[in-house]
Amino acid sequence: MKTTILIFGILAYGQVTAQCSFKGPGKGSSFSDNTSIGSYAWANPSNAKESDDVYAASNIQISSFTETSTYYLVATDFGFAIPANASICGIEIQVEKHYQVNSGSLSSITDKSVRLVKKGTPDGDDKAAGEAWLSGDEQSNYGGISDKWGLSLTTTDINSSTFGVAISASVSSGSSDLDLDALIDQITITVYYNSLLPVNFKEFRGVQEQDHVRLTWVTASESNSSHFIAEKMINNRWAA
């Protein structure tokens, strides 16, 4: 099958990448505690695989005016198969979570830490920012299409069974002893990436001529290409 090459804006000489594609949201296959943070374990961590109202739970029992946090709940082995020649644009994490007070007084429950897991270890920027948990299921999003969490990420990293996400919750009690469950229903990951197109540009020029722009280019090599389409942005949408 012949390939259509899309040209977006002004391109540098050399190999060209497409707009960001994505895989996901993907679900993890391996779930566990990581004790590098916090004091409270997660029961049934694998329940964070499906959005089915069956939860991974951390039961927290603390005295009044006390603060503590959970271990990391770690989800890995997402089964991604990003093309080997791709470059990573960004990573977005989605976590469906809430809390349940069994007894006592709650002051606050917030994200303690949210990090990517690279090569089996929580790493990179912490996206927690103290976001409050709610008493009913909510989905929180972290990162995005152009956010690599301060890490150098390769397709090998992403496709590895040791790639994933780690999340911990921070809990503070109020004026009486607190018994609370932190609950996570599902953790998913979406990976945004660029794949190299089968063309190598030797020269690309854009020259304004009155009310239009003339584009000219020369390719050094092409592989199985059919034709080129130049696109421009009109009212925040790409048009040929």
Side-chain angles (χ1 to χ4, degrees):
M1 177 182 294
K2 297 294 185 180
T3 301
T4 299
I5 307 300
L6 299 179
I7 303 172
F8 300 94
I10 301 301
L11 305 177
Y13 296 169
Q15 198 73 35
V16 180
T17 58
Q19 283 186 308
C20 287
S21 303
F22 68 91
K23 294 285 188 182
K27 297 180 287 189
S29 297
S30 180
F31 298 84
S32 62
D33 275 341
N34 179 305
T35 61
S36 64
I37 195 171
S39 303
Y40 285 82
W42 291 90
N44 302 310
S46 61
N47 286 348
K49 181 175 182 177
E50 303 289 347
S51 179
D52 57 4
D53 295 333
V54 179
Y55 302 96
S58 182
N59 178 249
I60 296 165
Q61 299 181 28
I62 53 177
S63 56
S64 60
F65 301 114
T66 302
E67 182 176 348
T68 190
S69 59
T70 70
Y71 294 156
Y72 275 129
L73 174 58
V74 176
T76 55
D77 196 8
F78 281 76
F80 288 114
I82 308 301
N85 67 345
S87 60
I88 304 303
C89 300
I91 306 293
E92 184 176 14
I93 305 299
Q94 303 87 25
V95 181
E96 189 177 340
K97 65 187 193 299
H98 75 285
Y99 72 86
Q100 176 179 300
V101 174
N102 301 315
S103 64
S105 173
L106 171 67
S107 175
S108 67
I109 174 170
T110 62
D111 290 338
K112 172 72 171 180
S113 182
V114 181
R115 294 184 186 272
L116 292 184
V117 174
K118 180 181 177 181
K119 298 180 179 177
T121 301
D123 200 356
D125 295 341
D126 193 334
K127 300 295 183 179
E131 177 180 306
W133 290 40
L134 301 181
S135 58
D137 262 356
E138 60 161 347
Q139 178 174 290
S140 297
N141 298 327
Y142 309 89
I145 189 171
S146 60
D147 191 338
K148 293 189 281 190
W149 300 59
L151 295 172
S152 176
L153 295 170
T154 67
T155 57
T156 300
D157 295 325
I158 303 300
N159 295 339
S160 171
S161 62
T162 60
F163 174 76
V165 60
I167 180 169
S168 167
S170 178
V171 178
S172 296
S173 59
S175 57
S176 61
D177 295 353
L178 175 65
D179 183 325
L180 173 144
D181 290 326
L183 303 164
I184 293 181
D185 196 9
Q186 187 179 49
I187 299 172
T188 60
I189 297 179
T190 300
V191 179
Y192 299 91
Y193 63 95
N194 268 329
S195 293
L196 292 176
L197 294 176
V199 60
N200 193 295
F201 280 86
K202 181 178 180 181
E203 180 180 294
F204 188 95
R205 297 181 185 277
V207 179
Q208 184 173 349
E209 295 183 355
Q210 296 181 353
D211 62 347
H212 65 275
V213 175
R214 180 180 296 276
L215 303 178
T216 60
W217 61 89
V218 177
T219 62
S221 64
E222 299 177 36
S223 174
N224 202 34
S225 60
S226 170
H227 59 283
F228 293 80
I229 297 176
E231 294 193 347
K232 60 184 177 182
M233 181 71 78
I234 301 176
N235 297 325
N236 294 319
R237 298 185 66 178
W238 289 105

